[in-house]
Amino acid sequence: MNVLVLNAGSATLKFQLIATDRAAIERESDLKLARGVIERIGGHALIHFQREGGPRVFREKTLRDHRAALDEFLAWVVSDESGVAAVRSLADIHAVGHRVVHGGQRFRESVRIDAEVIAAIEDMVELAPLHNPGNLKGIRAATELLGPGAPQVAVFDTAFHASMPETSYLYAIPYSHYRRFGLRKYGFHGSSHRYIAYRYRKLRGVPKETVNIITLHLGNGCSACAIREGRSFDTSMGFTPLEGLVMGTRAGDIDASIVSWLAEKEGLSAAEVEAMLNKQSGLLGISGLTSDMRELLAEEAENGDRRVRLAIDIFCQRVRKYIGAYFAEMGGADAVVFSGGIGENSAAIRSRICRGLGALGLELDEARNAACTDACAHVISTDSSRLQAWVIPTDEELLIARDTARLLVAP
Ligand code: ADP
């Protein structure tokens, strides 16, 4: 089955076309066919498409909305130009899997999309005003262009964390806010943490119930997840993705009093302070330079800028703090797993995070860590390390495609 995976943001649309089915999942022989991303939808859009193993295609074009953007991708996929042999017409796209950010308390797993599911995702716009509207645009565009009969599946970022106990997800504020509004920790990046935990147990050849690990998704957005007996036990993002680790432009944990204090001081609204905490903080806020870890590392190496170093050190210390917290919460763990753009690519950051974790029994093998550059999964701790360290590349799109295939094909 050819599954189109859509990740729709407010002005972006990311695509992947993946051929998968139950047998392919079993054999891990799913096939990536093509990918693409369109940015700045609603204006002069930047378009990148690529067939797997093929040349990169780039063009610019005014695209009015998500429907126009999806149409652009579909027209390219079926064209001779794309060279995607498995898809010659729209009938060769058998299903669509959507990344949906917020599934609230209702969606504990992926679901086939129907009118009622769409209404529920609309209801959750209140919880995720920045994300769910974009996801809905993606669903509507797919329905319009592939027809109402095309099967579609929603895979929620929050779903994996539905297994968290109350002790992890409740904030210590009056309980009535939880009852009235569902104000609680939801957690995000769930598809990533779930995929990493799945790969880990496949690589180790162990059953799900024995997986006790701490997964670290370190990209532009960053989150940690305590996975106990194969299920999410706690995670660092909260009611929104703002909580937890230091990120590219997000502050992560702060004292909540800062919001009203700063609003008063600067004459800002609470929403403006929140925007500052989401968009101008984190690595960017401390360094005053960039949110991009690769650029920060280069700048640190070349010029030794104090604030750049500080930004990186604070980032690493926060990750270490969460590893320690989750180790204690779960009563120990077998492994720490690095993933995401930073976690997969930066041996230097992995090494800096692991410094000081000897107390938990983690001994990094610096040579293994440095040699881990091939985008494959690797153990990077020493053979005698009591707490293992791994790098496992994440693949949320693959997980979405597989969930879609599983839900649509009879067992
Ligand atoms: P997103 O969370 O948007 O999916 P990614 O997972 O692609 O983002 O991660 C982007 C981050 O990964 C950026 O900060 C980027 O600088 C960082 N990154 C990518 N490659 C490297 C590298 N070789 N060294 C350090 N950081 C890197």
Side-chain angles (χ1 to χ4, degrees):
M1 151 181 302
N2 297 327
V3 180
L4 173 63
V5 177
L6 282 188
N7 179 354
S10 56
T12 60
L13 199 49
K14 291 186 189 158
F15 319 87
Q16 265 203 37
L17 203 49
I18 300 176
T20 183
D21 55 28
R22 281 175 186 272
I25 296 169
E26 205 54 47
R27 292 196 305 268
E28 303 236 344
S29 61
D30 329 63
L31 274 182
K32 304 263 174 102
L33 303 175
R35 66 181 65 220
V37 54
I38 301 185
E39 296 164 292
R40 299 197 203 158
I41 296 169
H44 194 67
L46 308 177
I47 303 167
H48 295 263
F49 296 149
Q50 189 175 23
R51 169 172 53 86
E52 191 68 16
R56 284 164 195 255
V57 176
F58 173 72
R59 48 184 181 246
E60 300 177 42
K61 186 173 175 183
T62 300
L63 293 175
R64 205 179 59 238
D65 53 20
H66 285 63
R67 182 195 154 121
L70 178 57
D71 202 21
E72 188 75 15
F73 180 74
L74 295 174
W76 172 78
V77 166
V78 300
S79 71
D80 290 340
E81 181 201 352
S82 79
V84 179
V87 180
R88 294 291 74 205
S89 79
L90 293 187
D92 293 327
I93 295 176
H94 305 119
V96 187
H98 294 269
R99 174 187 182 215
V100 179
V101 171
H102 217 306
Q105 302 207 78
R106 166 161 174 191
F107 295 110
R108 302 175 68 87
E109 50 193 36
S110 304
V111 287
R112 183 153 179 181
I113 296 174
D114 58 19
E116 205 230 327
V117 168
I118 291 177
I121 297 171
E122 277 166 353
D123 279 350
M124 280 163 227
V125 165
E126 195 186 29
L127 291 173
L130 297 180
H131 300 286
N132 276 24
N135 305 152
L136 284 162
K137 285 182 192 169
I139 294 171
R140 289 198 189 102
T143 310
E144 286 172 26
L145 293 170
L146 295 170
Q152 301 191 56
V153 165
V155 179
F156 300 93
D157 251 21
T158 48
F160 181 60
H161 304 300
S163 54
M164 286 191 292
E166 282 175 312
T167 48
S168 296
Y169 72 67
L170 280 180
Y171 292 110
I173 59 176
Y175 191 78
S176 57
H177 297 319
Y178 166 63
R179 265 208 317 255
R180 287 165 65 208
F181 309 125
L183 191 49
R184 49 162 280 183
K185 178 188 281 281
Y186 287 97
F188 299 88
H189 283 155
S191 300
S192 179
H193 292 293
R194 187 179 135 208
Y195 179 80
I196 298 163
Y198 168 83
R199 286 287 296 151
Y200 172 86
R201 81 175 155 91
K202 285 281 168 188
L203 290 162
R204 300 245 4 228
V206 296
K208 181 174 171 184
E209 307 71 53
T210 66
V211 172
N212 296 303
I213 59 177
I214 297 164
T215 50
L216 303 168
H217 178 108
L218 308 178
N220 285 314
C222 300
S223 67
C225 186
I227 297 179
R228 191 164 83 170
E229 295 171 359
R231 291 146 61 91
S232 175
F233 178 78
D234 201 353
T235 192
S236 60
M237 284 178 167
F239 177 63
T240 74
L242 180 55
E243 191 181 343
L245 302 180
V246 173
M247 316 183 204
T249 62
R250 292 193 191 115
D253 295 334
I254 59 155
D255 181 339
S257 319
I258 290 174
V259 177
S260 53
W261 191 88
L262 202 55
E264 167 96 32
K265 204 76 178 159
E266 296 270 38
L268 299 171
S269 67
E272 285 169 325
V273 177
E274 187 191 324
M276 179 275 288
L277 294 171
N278 270 302
K279 296 188 181 139
Q280 290 154 28
S281 301
L283 294 172
L284 172 66
I286 301 165
S287 71
L289 199 69
T290 172
S291 63
D292 190 299
M293 184 60 95
R294 200 169 8 187
E295 288 175 22
L296 289 173
L297 287 165
E299 181 65 23
E300 183 188 39
E302 279 163 36
N303 302 318
D305 182 274
R306 193 187 82 85
R307 272 173 51 192
V308 166
R309 170 157 304 138
L310 200 54
I312 301 170
D313 285 344
I314 293 172
F315 176 95
C316 294
Q317 180 169 322
R318 184 77 56 84
V319 177
R320 209 179 305 125
K321 179 170 166 176
Y322 268 89
I323 293 171
Y326 288 167
F327 192 88
E329 268 189 9
M330 293 199 289
D334 296 326
V336 172
V337 187
F338 290 90
S339 198
I342 299 172
E344 291 166 31
N345 296 305
S346 180
I349 295 295
R350 293 193 299 259
S351 170
R352 279 160 83 159
I353 289 171
C354 290
R355 241 166 258 167
L357 290 181
L360 301 184
L362 194 153
E363 266 178 40
L364 194 71
D365 184 319
E366 291 291 353
R368 282 181 184 168
N369 182 38
C372 177
T373 54
D374 60 358
C376 293
H378 292 282
V379 177
I380 53 168
S381 48
T382 63
D383 291 340
S384 58
S385 184
R386 279 184 290 120
L387 174 60
Q388 287 193 337
W390 286 69
V391 175
I392 299 183
T394 192
D395 197 339
E396 293 163 84
E397 288 79 11
L398 182 61
L399 181 134
I400 292 170
R402 287 177 170 183
D403 268 15
T404 304
R406 267 198 213 99
L407 273 172
L408 298 177
V409 180

